[in-house]
Amino acid sequence: MSTTTKKRVPFRWVALGIAVVALLLAGVVSYYASANPDGLEYVAGKTGFLDRASEHGAADGPLAGYGTKGVDDARLSGGLAGVIGTVVVLVVAGGLVLLVRRRPTDSSDEA
Amino acid sequence: MHVPDGFLDAPTSIATGAVAVVAVGVALRGARRELDDKTAPLAGLVAAFVFATQMLNFPVGAGTSGHLMGGALAAVLVGPWTGVLCVSVVLIVQSLLFADGGITALGTNILLMAVTTVVVGWFVSRVLIKLLPKRVGLVAPAAAIGAFVSVPAAASVFTALYAIGGTADISLTTLATAMLGWHTLIGLGEGVITFLAVGAILSVRPDLVYAARGVIAERDLVIKAKEAVA
């Protein structure tokens, strides 16, 4: 804090860092995640309403359940699904933000 | 906490769907004011990070697990409106591509994990940042506490929704106690992950953390004042 004009880390390095960490977490570390039911699923089982859950409409999708259809190796199947999901979320959320920003805010549009 | 189809009845799901549509619509407007040259490039990355981290279920006690929801984290990093959008995108992709969280329950899940955790996480962090001494080092702990509180808050909202439109006849007190108990523990994990992620960004580029802007502005004023005196 003493020297205020510390050289700033360029944004692209921060962005790269977040992207690499996210891809590693989804692609590699996710294999080691707990397979236990999550809090809601566990409580639903204990209190007796878990059987009310109905089949998911997209349950036959190629990435359903965080696995890649046609890839037998569990590590690869889950890792690939994680990487694809991370990239899809990055593109969709990033694209949405671009669209929101592109709308004119300075002129008559501001209601 | 991804609610599957069938837990809540149709009228409740339609109502939460309507609330979610309105919330996302309002967030799209609000985000325009938040999105500048710093938050805009970061928002997509924050959403991707939340998606990745949501895959990492950590064990909680015997037989259950929890994962990050990320509302507080996203709100602190890129602002609350943009945070709602980031987590909503994550939930939509999870439901449609990964069959995680019901399609008719999408509104419910957005209400629980994108709206409730952002609103509660942002409010608590913001109040703490305002009350605590203006130090950059205190932003991450404030965010962590906001994140911690946001998880039992979402669990409470689920319990309330279940009381209105749950499809099974169960004891609501049992449900409330179990949901709050387990999600308080899961909230600790939410707090730790949020602390680490916000702390990491703060350590390299504090100016990129939306919730730290006031703190940095005030600190710079103090530094300038001291320089002026010297």
Side-chain angles (χ1 to χ4, degrees), chain B residues 7 50 161 167 176-178 191:
Chain B
F7 274 14
V50 168
L161 290 175
T167 49
T177 319

Side-chain angles (χ1 to χ4, degrees), chain A residues 25-56:
Chain A
L25 293 178
V28 182
V29 183
S30 62
Y31 180 76
Y32 302 95
S34 168
N36 285 334
D38 77 357
L40 173 63
E41 206 183 333
Y42 180 81
V43 170
K46 286 280 174 189
T47 45
F49 64 95
L50 186 59
D51 58 346
R52 292 288 165 152
S54 46
E55 172 90 1
H56 197 288

Side-chain angles (χ1 to χ4, degrees), chain B residues 1 10 20 29 63 88 94 115 122 132-133 136 145 163 174 184 186 203 230:
Chain B
M1 186 179 289
R29 272 201 154 270
S88 296
Q94 284 171 332
V115 179
W122 173 253
L132 290 166
V136 175
I145 294 169
T174 315
T184 302
I186 295 170
S203 68

